[in-house]
Amino acid sequence: LGCSKEDSSTTSTSEGSTSEGSSSVSMSFFGKVAQGYIEGAKVFADLDSDRVRDSNEAQATSDSGGCYTLQVEPGNWTLISQGGTFLDSQGNKINALPMKAPAPTTSGAIAELACGSTQISSTSVNITPLTSLVAANSSLKSKFNALGGNGWNSDIASSSGVPGKLLRISQTVEQALKTLSSGDYAILSSDTSKLKTMDKLADAFTKQKNISSKEALTAAVQEGLVNALNDEQVVILTLTQKKIK
């Protein structure tokens, strides 16, 4: 899919700015929000780590190719995406999971670049299940990088292909969260609870050696979800849900 700003009626440009009167220099960066390419996701810089967008936090909306462009002052914050939809293999619209990614550390002259550029840049920050795990626990960067491709920052929906081991991890995380977010007895009903559950999964993944093996994936998901369900800071179960659990 083409990803230049002219390719879609949905804007991928920044909709917010940093606080007025600030003397700091903003940095610009771009990337893709992907399970499949997610259109209509709100991407913002979570400056205060509360997982909720405040009025002083810059925001952009992803276009039909999942592209966003954002301008924010450098800092120790996290990128968060919320909302939006993508198409599954049958062409059905699927609601996207909330996800996050670490803040970039440098800026580049991206104004002339389309989001779909093949140029590798430190200012290209994708937002995927993989980056969500890394944002929660940075020690996973090296483990994902060892699995090939662009490692933790891989565009998992790329038509040019993604290393199977990375894709397997991403899809496992997606399925685990989908299981607890769907149906009449959905346990994870808010974006905050889903993001906190990803944090629990990330901590569980760090304990696995052969991180992409079936055994490791099963063990990490089981531990992460159990820890999330047993933590009332993550999710509060109803009496019915406790009986099911």
Side-chain angles (χ1 to χ4, degrees), residues 32 34 37 65 126 128 150-162:
K32 294 188 177 183
Y37 289 133
N126 297 317
T128 71
N150 290 328
W152 69 275
N153 197 34
S154 292
D155 173 1
I156 62 168
S158 173
S159 60
S160 60
V162 183

Side-chain angles (χ1 to χ4, degrees), residues 2-114:
C3 233
S4 63
K5 288 181 236 180
E6 293 78 15
D7 288 338
S8 171
S9 59
T10 304
T11 180
S12 64
T13 55
S14 179
E15 301 163 6
S17 61
T18 52
S19 302
E20 294 182 7
S22 173
S23 59
S24 299
V25 178
S26 295
M27 64 179 186
S28 295
F29 54 95
F30 66 94
K32 294 188 177 183
V33 189
Q35 290 174 258
Y37 289 133
I38 298 169
E39 179 177 8
K42 299 296 184 182
V43 178
F44 67 94
D46 187 21
L47 304 180
D48 56 2
S49 302
D50 65 351
R51 303 178 182 85
V52 177
R53 195 227 169 196
D54 301 311
S55 60
N56 66 318
E57 294 174 336
Q59 178 177 267
T61 302
S62 63
D63 65 19
S64 60
C67 301
Y68 75 91
T69 302
L70 204 60
Q71 185 171 336
V72 192
E73 291 178 11
N76 185 25
W77 39 263
T78 302
L79 274 174
I80 290 182
S81 70
Q82 295 179 325
T85 59
F86 65 96
L87 300 179
D88 66 12
S89 57
Q90 283 77 45
N92 301 309
K93 275 191 175 183
I94 305 297
N95 292 327
L97 293 171
M99 298 182 290
K100 57 185 179 176
T105 56
T106 59
S107 183
I110 69 164
E112 295 75 29
L113 291 177

Side-chain angles (χ1 to χ4, degrees), residues 185-204:
Y185 298 104
I187 292 172
L188 303 178
S189 57
S190 70
D191 284 351
T192 296
S193 64
K194 294 170 189 175
L195 290 169
K196 287 182 177 181
T197 298
M198 281 196 184
D199 294 349
K200 297 292 186 181
L201 288 169
D203 291 340

Side-chain angles (χ1 to χ4, degrees), residues 136-191:
N137 196 313
S138 61
S139 68
L140 289 171
K141 272 188 178 182
S142 58
K143 290 192 174 187
F144 291 163
N145 287 344
L147 299 180
N150 290 328
W152 69 275
N153 197 34
S154 292
D155 173 1
I156 62 168
S158 173
S159 60
S160 60
V162 183
K165 293 179 179 180
L166 290 172
L167 195 58
R168 193 179 307 136
I169 295 170
S170 178
Q171 291 175 340
T172 297
V173 171
E174 286 183 55
Q175 187 57 50
L177 288 176
K178 182 179 179 181
T179 299
L180 295 186
S181 305
S182 306
D184 295 336
Y185 298 104
I187 292 172
L188 303 178
S189 57
S190 70
D191 284 351

